[in-house]
Amino acid sequence: MTTALPDLWTDWCSVTGVPAGRIDEATVSRFVQQVQPSRAVLMTLRRRLAPKDPPAPAWPRGHREDAGSLQRLIRRGTAIIQHPGTHWVFRLRLRRILFAAVLLAPRSHGGLGLDRSGALGLRSDSMRELRQWIGIAEDPSACPACATWSWLDVIGTNSGWSHSSVRVLGHRRDEVGSAHRHLRPDPNPDWHLSIGLLPAMDRWGWIDAYRSMHPSSLSAVISAAALLLDGPEPAPAPVPAAAAMPASPRRQMSHEEEEQILKRADELTARVEAILREFDTGR
């Protein structure tokens, strides 16, 4: 017999926006601090604790113990996505990289902890069930749930519209601001019709709605993710000049230093793009 969830827990979840089924140590600890439930309620929740996180064997080995690595990867990938000089096809590939990272990262990092075959074989019905477990970051540019929302928008557009619509989406950058995209309804719910959620994509940006990426392509995606994690910070997108404000004296970066930093960032972007281009499929 399954024990019903305590009303105090479900009421707290509805107020805080936490899915009632997400019963893990971190969430229960937060609940205890805020509500101070009775011992009976706490024991009921602990009997329903979520199973131990899956091992996430495909996540880069050097970052499996780094709980902030997924958010850092998404933030760095988003910086390249937001740069106006990023080619639209590369922008789509980056969105796919970030979504794949969410699938592969450990749950303690905000991911789903899937292995390679689980990620390649993931179907829309399973995604609907697993989506509630995807982590949420304070910063939208580093948020796993927002990265998921953006990629589902791409494959939903690919399923329900034309390649030209996908191209328009590839040219689009995320809105700058504090709003989380994942809080909005899915703009293209046709992603439910996708056979696989990690489809193959060729060098011209055509997305194959009927074929998942090859395992070797997923290996390239994982290598690109590791490169983003281990490399320098990508070059930030240029921003409009703001009105001058008084500021305390600080060290001024020389032109040579700035050029060197931007050069390293450009080299990182080029290396990631080269890894992905190696596994392009012709049409």
Side-chain angles (χ1 to χ4, degrees):
M1 182 177 70
T2 302
T3 305
L5 291 172
D7 291 340
L8 185 61
W9 167 261
T10 55
D11 290 344
W12 178 80
C13 288
S14 65
V15 171
T16 58
V18 174
R22 182 184 292 176
I23 307 177
D24 53 37
E25 286 290 353
T27 307
V28 171
S29 297
R30 180 181 164 201
F31 170 71
V32 170
Q33 291 175 356
Q34 295 182 0
V35 181
Q36 298 182 351
S38 67
R39 184 176 180 181
V41 169
L42 186 56
M43 289 181 64
T44 300
L45 291 176
R46 293 204 176 280
R47 284 196 295 267
R48 294 283 298 272
L49 276 175
K52 186 178 179 181
D53 289 349
W59 191 243
R61 186 182 302 274
H63 298 279
R64 290 178 188 171
E65 302 301 321
D66 180 4
S69 57
L70 176 60
Q71 291 189 27
R72 186 167 66 255
L73 171 65
I74 295 174
R75 184 170 56 252
R76 290 184 170 194
T78 300
I80 303 176
I81 287 171
Q82 293 295 90
H83 199 286
T86 299
H87 191 274
W88 70 271
V89 175
F90 187 38
R91 187 173 284 120
L92 291 179
R93 290 202 190 102
L94 282 167
R95 293 200 187 278
R96 188 178 60 172
I97 286 178
L98 299 187
F99 175 70
V102 172
L103 300 185
L104 300 174
R107 286 194 174 180
S108 58
H109 296 25
L112 294 178
L114 303 180
D115 58 17
R116 294 171 188 246
S117 61
L120 290 173
L122 185 65
R123 299 295 181 258
S124 59
D125 54 346
S126 298
M127 186 64 201
R128 284 194 293 268
E129 297 176 5
L130 293 173
R131 198 172 178 182
Q132 65 173 320
W133 298 102
I134 294 174
I136 298 171
E138 291 186 12
D139 181 2
S141 67
C143 181
C146 288
T148 299
W149 185 96
S150 292
W151 177 245
L152 295 182
D153 186 15
V154 172
I155 60 175
T157 299
N158 186 67
S159 295
W161 299 88
S162 63
H163 176 63
S164 60
S165 298
V166 174
R167 179 169 182 156
V168 169
L169 197 58
H171 281 283
R172 185 184 305 165
R173 290 177 284 164
D174 299 328
E175 297 177 8
V176 178
S178 58
H180 279 267
R181 300 186 299 282
H182 75 267
L183 296 177
R184 310 173 195 165
D186 288 334
N188 282 293
D190 284 344
W191 70 265
H192 296 162
L193 304 177
S194 301
I195 295 177
L197 301 184
L198 285 176
M201 184 190 309
D202 70 13
R203 68 188 65 191
W204 296 283
W206 287 89
I207 299 175
D208 193 333
Y210 303 101
R211 183 166 59 93
S212 294
M213 66 164 61
H214 192 272
S216 62
S217 296
L218 181 57
S219 295
V221 164
I222 295 171
S223 297
L227 187 60
L228 277 173
L229 281 170
D230 296 331
E233 290 283 346
V239 296
M245 297 181 63
S248 57
R250 61 180 180 179
R251 177 182 177 274
Q252 296 295 321
M253 183 182 298
S254 69
H255 178 71
E256 290 75 14
E257 289 176 311
E258 182 178 4
E259 286 293 325
Q260 186 64 23
I261 291 173
L262 294 176
K263 180 180 178 182
R264 291 181 61 204
D266 289 342
E267 288 174 352
L268 170 65
T269 302
R271 289 173 64 191
V272 171
E273 194 167 6
I275 289 175
L276 298 178
R277 190 185 303 115
E278 181 181 353
F279 291 90
D280 279 337
T281 56
R283 288 182 72 93

